[in-house]
Structures are given as structure tokens and as C-alpha cells.
Amino acid sequence: MIGSLAVILGCQLLGEVVARGLGLPVPGPVLGMAAMVGVLWLRDRFRPPVLAGVEPAGRFLLAHLSLLFVPAGVGVVGNLDVLAAEWLALSVALVVSTVLTLVVSVVTFRVVARMVGE
């Protein structure tokens, strides 16, 4: 478990260092997630023993995922005045992003389905 947590947190740290070091407008955790995809690809391709498994930590984090939403909920409650002032813009952004996500998901599904021949 400690080894798999070290790999996950190491990827996030790498993302933060790259984002801040290069002044990129991309959040560090997003770059860390891309690094994790690379780590998992290397693991599946070459099977190095040091990357044997991030599954234990991943399963633990997924099992307790609801706890990770508590800080976000506290942040929302702490900024209710901002929500009251900007409710229309936030509502429009929420609806537009949801519709855009659905459209992109459908297009992606159709492209992949066509590629695999179903």
C-alpha cells in the first residue's frame, strides 16, 4: 500500500513541479494524471517490479471517495455569498459544460464503436 501511494503521490508531485516550474496554465494534478497514465502504460508494457501495483491504494481511495468531497462541500458553504451573487453565471456554466460533456461523450463513443466495428 505504501509503495502504491508513493507512485500516485509521486505522479502528482511531478505534475505540480512541471506546472509551476514551467509556468504552465494547466493544473499540476492534471499533469500528474497524465504522468500516471504514462506510468501505467510503462507498467503494462514492460512490467517493471517497482511499478507492480498501484491497485491497493487506488482501491482504497475509490472505496473512500465520498470523504474527498467533504473539503469541497465546506468550500461551497464557506462561499455562499459568491454563489448568491453569481448564481446565473454559475448555472449557465454548469448547464453548458454538462451538455458539452454529453455531446463529446456521444461522439467519442460513436467513433470508437465505428473503429471496433460494432
Side-chain angles (χ1 to χ4, degrees):
M1 177 79 118
I2 292 175
S4 43
L5 270 176
V7 171
I8 292 170
L9 293 175
C11 287
Q12 183 172 357
L13 177 64
L14 176 67
E16 287 287 347
V17 168
V18 170
R20 290 180 190 222
L22 298 177
L24 298 175
V26 178
V30 172
L31 295 177
M33 186 173 54
M36 177 59 81
V37 168
V39 165
L40 293 174
W41 180 80
L42 286 172
R43 181 200 66 180
D44 291 342
R45 189 91 188 229
F46 302 110
R47 304 240 184 251
V50 71
L51 302 177
V54 293
E55 285 87 4
R59 289 187 193 282
F60 177 80
L61 290 172
L62 285 174
H64 299 88
L65 190 62
S66 60
L67 292 176
L68 299 176
F69 287 101
V70 171
V74 170
V76 167
V77 170
N79 292 306
L80 286 177
D81 56 335
V82 175
L83 288 173
E86 303 292 336
W87 70 269
L88 182 61
L90 290 170
S91 299
V92 169
L94 183 65
V95 169
V96 169
S97 64
T98 300
V99 170
L100 186 62
T101 300
L102 288 172
V103 169
V104 169
S105 297
V106 167
V107 170
T108 303
F109 176 79
R110 292 188 67 170
V111 168
V112 171
R114 201 172 300 141
M115 288 173 63
V116 297
E118 291 186 15

